[in-house]
């Protein structure tokens, strides 16, 4: 029995085996999503603001490698009015459902009749064998047809690909050429965590690879690549021949790119602009007026710590005894539980207040600290002691130069990799007395104790 011709065969679009479900989001939503990401908003919150679900926002961010695709970036030009928009396709679908002719639809939306006829043939839904026109499906087909796939430079040049992979993920070899495998680390599709084993590899940075190529291949212009191309091949899915897990060979171990606005907003919530180091009095900078201190923690094994306070003018040092709480180390660690290691916010606040309470008032003017969580109770510390608290910028240890230098001297007595909780208060006082009795070049070979004595006398 002969069968009739399927209506879907009238389509000028090639047949699709299994294209999947049409995407619900449109270009305008994607553009707004990446604009919000650039402002520092999380991917989940940005997705909700553009009308998508939070999990969809996370998927968009991961698939793009943390950076906006070229068609959604700021530099991308807006779509030309030559092409049909989604709103126009919605009108076509409505008129088509009402039985309006092609020419009438063209007159209503201000387009040529040939444009409407071509749109109906190319972008109609044909999966069921029919010839139905739906705006969402038509927009999806139009977006797929607008893609211009182009092979990346690494895909086109196998020799360049091999060179990049060897310098990025090659094995660690000794002087005799034998490969040292190192620890066995499984790729978890997430950032490499600090204080855990990392994969051992040659680990050249993309910039080192790009700058070394002209030296190794001076007469071969095809052996050239930019660092950004390597980064995109690592971070963006389907962008190149480099495997996704090779991001573990980067020194940062970062699995996704982080927008700059997010990195700027990483400060502690208890740190406001009014107590940043730039608001510190000018008299602190020249060290002419005593009473301004710098503080920090030196850390050891088993989450042990010792607090350090250094006076900027005399370099006089005070050490804070931070013993662990009685229940520390007993049983499994409790998430978001009390700070039992001894250097939580409350313990540090009490230790500072107890240590400086015997100092005269004119030697308790200000304290500069980094943005560690141990200073979360700085407001209560200020009310108890009357000392002003200021915080350094993130990742700026040079803003506490005296304290950083003193911490280096203290490592002679408290080396890294040792348990600092075994030292009692008397031992800390002895070490502090030793440092304060050591002549300093910056003090004209006087000791910090002598310099402080001159101020007090």
């Amino acid at each position: 029995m002969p069968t009739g011709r399927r209506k879907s065969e009238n389509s000028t679009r090639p047949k699709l085996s299994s294209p999947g479900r049409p995407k619900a989001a449109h270009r305008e939503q994607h553009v707004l999503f990446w604009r919000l990401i650039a402002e520092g908003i999380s991917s989940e919150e940005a997705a909700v603001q553009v009308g998508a679900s939070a999990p969809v926002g996370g998927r968009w961010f991961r698939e793009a490698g943390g950076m906006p695709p070229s068609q959604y970036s700021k530099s991308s030009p807006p779509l030309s009015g030559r092409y049909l928009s989604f709103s126009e396709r919605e009108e076509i679908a409505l008129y088509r459902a009402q039985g309006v002719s092609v020419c009438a639809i063209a007159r209503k939306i201000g387009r040529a009749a040939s444009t409407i006829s071509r749109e109906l043939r190319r972008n109609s839904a044909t999966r069921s064998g029919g010839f139905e026109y739906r705006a969402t499906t038509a927009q999806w087909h139009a977006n797929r047809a607008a893609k211009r796939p182009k092979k990346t430079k690494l895909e086109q040049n196998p020799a360049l690909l091999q060179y990049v992979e060897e310098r990025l993920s090659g094995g660690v070899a000794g002087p005799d050429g034998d490969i040292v495998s190192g620890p066995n680390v499984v790729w978890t599709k997430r950032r490499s965590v600090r204080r855990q084993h990392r994969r051992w590899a040659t680990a050249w940075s993309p910039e080192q690879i790009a700058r070394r190529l002209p030296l190794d291949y001076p007469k071969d212009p095809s052996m050239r690549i930019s660092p950004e191309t390597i980064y995109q091949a690592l971070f963006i899915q389907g962008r190149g021949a480099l495997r996704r897990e090779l991001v573990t060979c980067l020194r940062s171990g970062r699995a996704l790119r982080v927008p700059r606005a997010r990195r700027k907003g990483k400060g502690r919530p208890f740190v406001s602009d009014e107590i940043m180091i730039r608001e510190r009095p000018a008299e602190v900078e020249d060290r002419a007026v005593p009473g301004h201190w710098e503080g920090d923690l030196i850390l050891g094994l088993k989450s042990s710590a010792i607090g350090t306070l250094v006076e900027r003018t005399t370099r006089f040092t005070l050490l804070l005894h931070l013993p662990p709480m009685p229940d520390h180390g007993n049983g499994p660690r409790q998430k978001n539980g009390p700070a039992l290691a001894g250097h939580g916010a409350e313990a540090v606040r009490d230790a500072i207040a107890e240590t400086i309470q015997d100092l005269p008032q004119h030697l308790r003017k200000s304290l500069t600290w980094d943005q560690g969580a141990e200073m979360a109770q700085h407001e209560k510390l200020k009310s108890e002691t009357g000392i002003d608290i200021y915080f350094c910028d993130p990742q700026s240890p040079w803003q506490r130069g005296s304290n950083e230098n003193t911490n280096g001297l203290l490592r002679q007595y408290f080396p890294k990799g040792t348990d600092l909780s075994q030292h009692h208060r008397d031992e800390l006082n002895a070490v502090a007395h030793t440092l304060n009795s050591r002549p300093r070049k910056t003090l004209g070979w006087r000791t910090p104790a002598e310099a402080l004595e001159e101020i007090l006398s």
Side-chain angles (χ1 to χ4, degrees), residues 5-172:
R5 181 182 176 89
R6 292 166 61 97
K7 294 182 179 181
S8 60
E9 295 180 5
N10 295 328
S11 173
T12 59
R13 186 184 65 248
K15 292 184 178 180
L16 303 176
S17 56
S18 180
R21 180 180 60 85
K23 293 184 178 180
H26 306 299
R27 175 186 172 85
E28 294 77 11
Q29 292 175 283
H30 283 285
V31 171
L32 178 58
F33 172 80
W34 287 107
R35 188 179 302 155
L36 296 174
I37 292 295
E39 295 175 0
I41 300 177
S42 67
S43 55
E44 292 79 8
E45 184 179 351
V48 172
Q49 291 191 25
V50 302
S53 63
V56 168
R59 186 166 65 247
W60 288 349
F61 190 83
R62 289 193 306 272
E63 291 177 351
M67 55 189 300
S70 58
Q71 65 267 30
Y72 304 138
S73 63
K74 293 181 179 180
S75 60
S76 177
L79 289 180
S80 171
R82 170 187 175 188
Y83 304 100
L84 290 172
S85 64
F86 179 71
S87 59
E88 289 177 317
R89 289 189 168 95
E90 286 184 321
E91 293 184 43
I92 294 174
L94 291 174
Y95 291 137
R96 191 65 174 172
Q98 296 172 7
V100 181
S101 66
V102 171
C103 293
I105 295 175
R107 288 193 298 268
K108 289 179 179 294
I109 68 173
R111 292 284 187 171
S114 60
T115 300
I116 307 302
S117 177
R118 232 179 356 254
E119 172 70 13
L120 295 174
R121 290 197 310 271
R122 287 178 176 175
N123 298 329
S124 292
T126 59
R127 293 287 293 173
S128 60
F131 208 64
E132 302 174 356
Y133 186 85
R134 292 188 289 269
T136 303
T137 305
Q139 185 67 44
W140 177 57
H141 283 306
N143 292 340
R144 291 178 60 257
K147 291 182 178 180
R148 296 294 182 267
K150 178 182 177 182
K151 287 189 176 181
T152 62
K153 194 169 187 179
L154 289 175
E155 290 178 302
Q156 296 175 359
N157 194 336
L160 181 61
L161 173 63
Q162 182 180 1
Y163 183 94
V164 173
E165 285 190 339
E166 288 179 353
R167 271 67 182 176
L168 188 66
S169 61
V172 175

Side-chain angles (χ1 to χ4, degrees), residues 37-42 61 191 252-254 256-268 371 393-395:
I37 292 295
E39 295 175 0
I41 300 177
S42 67
F61 190 83
R191 177 176 181 150
S252 66
R254 188 178 295 118
L256 295 173
R257 275 190 164 174
V258 180
R260 293 181 180 179
R262 288 190 183 180
R263 298 184 63 85
K264 292 179 181 178
K266 276 195 170 183
R268 297 288 182 175
Q371 296 190 24
D393 295 321
Q395 301 178 359

Side-chain angles (χ1 to χ4, degrees), residues 168-206:
L168 188 66
S169 61
V172 175
D176 54 358
D178 294 338
I179 299 297
V180 181
S181 59
N184 183 20
V185 181
V186 180
W187 162 241
T188 60
K189 299 184 180 180
R190 295 183 178 274
R191 177 176 181 150
S192 300
V193 184
R194 291 184 61 191
R195 303 185 186 278
Q196 290 186 7
H197 287 301
R198 290 280 303 274
R199 174 183 174 182
W200 283 19
T202 309
W204 286 22
S205 68

